[in-house]
Amino acid sequence: MPWNLDSDRPIFIQIVERIQLDIISGIYHPGEKLPSVRELAGIAAVNPNTMQKALSELERSGLVYSHRTSGRFITEDTEMIENLKASLAEEKISEFFESMTKLGFQKTEILTMIEKIIKGEQE
Amino acid sequence: MLGKLFKHEFKDTAKILLPLNLALIGVTIIGMIILGLKVFDFEGVAMGFLAASMVFFYVLAIIALFIVTYIYLMIRFYRTMYSDEGYLTHTLPVSTFSVFNVKLLVSVFWAFLTMILAVISVIALFCTVLQSAGELTSSEWNYVLYELEMFFDKSVPALIGKCLLYMLVSCLSGLLMIYCSISIGQLFNKYKVAASIVTYIIIYIVLQIVNLILNMHRSMQIMTNSLSYAYQSTYDDVSIIGDIFASSMIQSVVLIVIYYITCVYISNKKLNLT
Amino acid sequence: MSTILECKNLTKRYGNFTALDQINISLEGGHIVGLLGPNGSGKTTLIKIINGLLTPTSGEATVHGKPIGVESKKVISYLPDHTYLNKNMRIRDIIDYFEDFYSDFDTKRAYDMLAKLSINPTDKLKTMSKGTKEKVQLILVMSRHADLYVLDEPIAGVDPAARDYILNTILSNYDENATILISTHLIADIENILDQVIFIHNGHIRLSSTVEEIREQNGKSVDALFREVFKC
């Protein structure tokens, strides 16, 4: 299945985000070998040069490292993955608060609503 | 590359044309056996009718063989050069010139082969009939050959050579006239096949008119000869026949050159694939 | 990277009609280039000239610096926009044909791809559905190790599953240093695999840019930009 990519943002950024998400959510395990650029490009149905650019970006951030001959691997530094997970979570939460504030809710109101929903789910 | 072009061209055309020619050889052999062994006694009305209809169908089959061969070669030329398949033919890493030459040579090979086989078939059957009727003794055969040599003032091998040359030239000019018409026809954006046929008819009519004008003089000569007192021997006529032969050869060769240049130019520079 | 294809002032006229007007294009190796334009914009005319099926009125096209001819045909793998194979031939025989004429043809790759689609090589082309025929043609074209692949409307009129197959086949088979020129009017379907686009309209090049540039500068997709440029 080709990846669902937005049409108005640079593709390589979206690929970076997508692979980050796959790493955090455990689709790719720490230390696991990534498919080749060509294969990934084929799976995602994107240009191999763009995929290459995205992987270089991931390498730069340290999330992915490359062995000269054997290819690219996910970092074994689980702490780094956890950190990324935490910062992404923060990002999502602040996005959520932002949109709720736009709807006119106060932070405390939002919290009580969340608690209510969680309770409802538990019952 | 040239070798591969020949290989594929032969392989492809042989699928249809080889069985046809083998059939002709088969029919000839069967005919020779029937006639030679006098399997049937062609006496009486019923048997006479049977014999006549066998001859009729034989002639019909030979004519059909020629028509099928030419139509097949014609369709194949159009299909591989100027229809959708032309996209493959003309993007092969071979020059258009080679592609055209190979197609032409292979078609001439088949047309010539069929013509020779047909002639051999007719002669073989004819000789079998004469021989089985006991009318073809070797001395009579020699006499016939001698008469032929005297009439045409040429040795038999030379005569055969001349006939073969004439057959070859007529195959070449016949096929090239068709290929040339198709090449011109494909220049039209619509109704390419119809345009090809019309082109062929126009070329044919023009040639007839030109021939008529060219031959006017000679026919007059034959007529005056036959009417005049000076008319003494048949050998004058023979020289005139030789004349006609030579001039029609020259005409064919000129036409072959014109057709050939036209075909090569169009397939090289004026492809109009749609 | 060396220049693979170069068109200089390429012009093609049919009588009074100008199909291509002073086109200049230069393509380097290792790119996937979209040749985008509405129907009748000159895409196919350009492609035919590159493949030696048409002679330009003026200007010239060169591949690796040499004029279009036998040498260029050796390194260009071309997929026309319709079926172009003899329908009475068996797939096996067509593969033999390609193998004989193209020294860069990878027979094993072709058979592997056919096997993946469970296409029987002894079948005749005419017994196949239109979609399968198109896939067979794509397999043949992508089984060559060419320097330039020219694909004319490879995804026109195919269903989404077939489209995914076609794009994947293209992406996983071309050589790293080769360039692919894809003509299409279905931009949204294909723009993620392009890194360069050429907009062509009425025989003129309206825009030539990289996809990332378009997205960064205009904040919109190539498809959206196309709709804007060619607004009726």
Side-chain angles (χ1 to χ4, degrees), chain C residues 4 6 22 35 57 59 82 97 105 131 135-137 144 172 189 196:
Chain C
I4 289 185
E6 180 137 47
Q22 306 274 327
L35 181 63
T57 312
H82 49 72
Y97 193 82
F105 189 77
K135 283 177 190 153
V136 168
Q137 291 192 154
R144 286 183 58 194
S172 43
D189 283 349
Q196 207 176 317

Side-chain angles (χ1 to χ4, degrees), chain B residues 27 35 42 47-63 122 125-126 129:
Chain B
V27 166
L35 295 169
F42 290 119
M47 287 315 273
F49 179 75
L50 183 65
S53 47
M54 275 169 78
V55 170
F56 176 74
F57 282 114
Y58 171 73
V59 172
L60 212 62
I62 293 226
I63 293 169
V122 170
L125 290 177
F126 188 64
V129 170

